[in-house]
Each structure stands twice: as structure tokens, then as C-alpha cells.
Amino acid sequence: GAVVSQHPSWVICKSGTSVKIECRSLDFQATTMFWYRQFPKQSLMLMATSNEGSKATYEQGVEKDKFLINHASLTLSTLTVTSAHPEDSSFYICSAPVTFEQFFGPGTRLTVL
Amino acid sequence: AQTVTQSQPEMSVQEAETVTLSCTYDTSESDYYLFWYKQPPSRQMILVIRQEAYKQQNATENRFSVNFQKAAKSFSLKISDSQLGDAAMYFCAHLYNNNDMRFGAGTRLTVKP
């Protein structure tokens, strides 16, 4: 099956700093990727849809100036959490669609101190 | 908008026994896909089974099978001969148009030896 990687797998940062998370499709091209956030003991919540070569589409309630998404190539999407605060601490997961199926990255655990 | 409901926050099953996890969804579309994902403690999303709405036959994957009732918008997962490795969070998901995937709240399955 298709493989999606994420980097880093975990990151700890100080409040006020920015953090970049990468999502890569390793063996296929993805014109669209999705970013989810998962708080402890909760479900995955779609944050935004990343579109190669165009602006991302954000879900209602997600601050696009805080969560910057760049989909610069057919195999890479990045999520940058700007001016991170402790409430941004969460598990971030990306996915990419292949033939009516979603392939998920292993996730990135972000802890903001 | 599609919504997915999992009414069982937690379920427990004895090893080697059978358990059924419930899922209902709401959609106005006639063509869509439904999924069950497993999320073990590693938090990697693992596809368990997929059902295409236009297929009346219930999908099966070894010990995993679904009961898909399109008119009732119900999509339950049956795990037969439960194993200790089946213990995890299980998420029901609805996908429309290879794009918008929505998840239920999840069911935590415990397998007792």
C-alpha cells in the first residue's frame, strides 16, 4: 500500500516559537493532503485540506494564520504552527488519498511548554 | 455535512469471543465509502475494512466483517475470535468524493485474556 511519512515524530518547543511538521507521500504523488488534530482520548478532527499549488482550505474554527500550510510539491505538505501555545499541544496526523482510501502518516506529537 | 456516530465509548470482549462495534452515519449522498480504522497505542491509523456504498454485499477481512445497512445508515463491525492484539481504539469513518473523511468519536476495545 501507499506510504505516508511524517517528520518529526515528536517535538517539544517553548511557548511563542514556531514549529514545522512535514508530511511526505513516499511512493505516490498526492495533489491533496489532509491535516488532522487529535487531542487525548478524542477522535481525529480535520483541520485543513492541503492542495498542491494552491491555497489550503481550512475547516471552520481553524485559524489559518496560526496553522500555515504549504503544499509545494506533489509529495510534500508542511504544517507550521506559528507562535505555539500550550493549548496547541496535540497529536497532528496527515493523510493522503489514493483511490477512495486515505493513507495516514504516523503522526507528530507536539508539546508546547 | 456528513456526520458519524459511535455510541459505544468503550467495549470489552473475552479473548476468542465475538464483539460488535456500532456506527451510524448521516449523509445525503448515494455514493460514498465507509471505513473502520484501528488505532493502537502507537497511534498509527490502520485500515481494518472498507465498504463501498454501492455494493450490497458486506465486506469481510479474515476475522473482521461488517453489517452494512444502507437504508438505516448503519455500519457495524464484527470482530470474531477476538485476540489480545485487537485491543485498540476503533474509528468508523465516512468518505465522500475521495476527499472529505469524517470520523466517529471512537470506541475503545478491551480484550480480556
Side-chain angles (χ1 to χ4, degrees):
Chain A
V3 179
V4 175
S5 70
Q6 275 184 249
H7 179 80
S9 56
W10 60 270
V11 57
I12 302 173
C13 69
K14 293 182 179 180
S15 185
T17 61
S18 295
V19 174
K20 180 185 286 188
I21 302 171
E22 294 185 347
C23 177
R24 292 181 184 273
S25 56
L26 297 186
D27 50 1
F28 66 101
Q29 293 182 333
T31 56
T32 301
M33 290 183 176
F34 302 95
W35 287 97
Y36 295 86
R37 181 167 53 184
Q38 185 180 31
F39 291 109
K41 298 185 179 181
Q42 294 189 23
S43 186
L44 282 73
M45 296 301 295
L46 181 65
M47 298 176 63
T49 302
S50 174
N51 303 300
E52 189 269 336
S54 64
K55 292 182 179 180
T57 305
Y58 291 83
E59 294 298 303
Q60 191 173 9
V62 177
E63 300 175 58
K64 58 183 177 182
D65 293 332
K66 181 170 186 61
F67 298 99
L68 301 179
I69 291 173
N70 183 27
H71 197 146
S73 77
L74 289 172
T75 60
L76 174 64
S77 174
T78 60
L79 168 68
T80 301
V81 183
T82 63
S83 186
H85 288 95
E87 57 265 31
D88 299 323
S89 298
S90 188
F91 193 68
Y92 294 85
I93 305 175
C94 70
S95 74
V98 177
T99 320
F100 295 105
E101 187 173 332
Q102 294 275 352
F103 290 87
F104 290 86
T108 297
R109 183 180 301 279
L110 170 63
T111 301
V112 184
L113 302 177
Chain B
Q2 292 83 245
T3 59
V4 180
T5 302
Q6 291 179 252
S7 58
Q8 305 156 316
E10 296 183 357
M11 290 286 285
S12 178
V13 63
Q14 203 71 34
E15 192 176 7
E17 297 292 311
T18 296
V19 65
T20 298
L21 308 184
S22 301
C23 173
T24 59
Y25 59 95
D26 186 21
T27 183
S28 58
E29 307 300 329
S30 60
D31 192 14
Y32 51 88
Y33 294 79
L34 296 165
F35 303 82
W36 278 99
Y37 282 93
K38 171 184 178 181
Q39 190 181 44
S42 69
R43 305 189 79 169
Q44 171 72 60
M45 296 291 282
I46 301 168
L47 177 65
V48 175
I49 200 164
R50 180 177 85 163
Q51 175 77 45
E52 295 151 51
Y54 65 86
K55 289 187 176 180
Q56 292 192 352
Q57 185 174 6
N58 289 325
T60 62
E61 285 288 341
N62 301 314
R63 298 183 294 108
F64 300 88
S65 61
V66 298
N67 183 5
F68 173 47
Q69 302 290 329
K70 190 173 184 179
K73 296 181 181 177
S74 171
F75 182 61
S76 62
L77 174 70
K78 185 172 80 172
I79 306 175
S80 303
D81 186 25
S82 297
Q83 300 176 359
L84 295 177
D86 294 334
M89 282 291 291
Y90 286 82
F91 292 100
C92 177
H94 173 288
L95 176 69
Y96 168 67
N97 203 26
N98 201 31
N99 194 339
D100 197 352
M101 178 171 270
R102 303 288 167 161
F103 291 87
T107 297
R108 179 172 299 281
L109 178 66
T110 302
V111 181
K112 297 180 179 179

